Amino acid sequence: MSVVKINVLAVPAEQRETLERRFASRAHAVENSDGFEWFELLRPVEGTDSYLVYTRWRDEESFKAWVEGPMKAAHQGGGAEGGGQPRPAASGSTLWSFEVVQQAAPVGE
């Protein structure tokens, strides 16, 4: 079954808009990766300041290939004025890993 990676990002309130804008500007950056199945950026509503970046992959190898290829290139690729790397919007991150052992979808889909 698939694997799920959840990147937990600690984002100060003043950086929320920056984080969301950066993800929006990278829209579709992961969709063509081999083994990619799903992405969601989850904004906190209550009880936490952490954003969750949810991705689902066919297998661990697909995720690792994306991390070492397209993701690495995207995070090294400048984008700030003057060609330097922009300051991170998150003040910290933790990666959670899961295997999908059960799943369900609405009837008829």
Side-chain angles (χ1 to χ4, degrees):
M1 281 227 164
S2 303
V3 295
V4 170
K5 302 294 181 173
I6 300 173
N7 196 359
V8 183
L9 302 176
V11 181
E14 66 274 7
Q15 291 294 324
R16 285 179 158 202
E17 187 177 316
T18 299
L19 179 88
E20 291 180 23
R21 187 174 53 249
R22 287 181 184 169
F23 269 92
S25 73
R26 292 186 203 143
H28 312 297
V30 70
E31 285 94 324
N32 292 321
S33 296
D34 185 48
F36 170 78
E37 295 179 353
W38 197 259
F39 162 84
E40 291 178 327
L41 175 62
L42 305 176
R43 178 192 300 141
V45 176
E46 60 183 90
T48 184
D49 290 333
S50 295
Y51 276 72
L52 301 181
V53 182
Y54 173 101
T55 57
R56 183 172 163 151
W57 300 87
R58 175 181 59 229
D59 51 37
E60 186 70 25
E61 293 73 25
S62 298
F63 172 73
K64 287 180 180 178
W66 175 74
V67 166
E68 289 302 314
M71 191 208 72
K72 190 174 192 177
H75 284 87
Q76 292 176 345
E81 293 76 25
Q85 186 70 6
R87 187 174 146 251
S91 61
S93 69
T94 302
L95 183 65
W96 295 343
S97 299
F98 299 88
E99 291 179 333
V100 177
V101 293
Q102 291 184 24
Q103 60 187 18
V107 175
E109 290 190 23

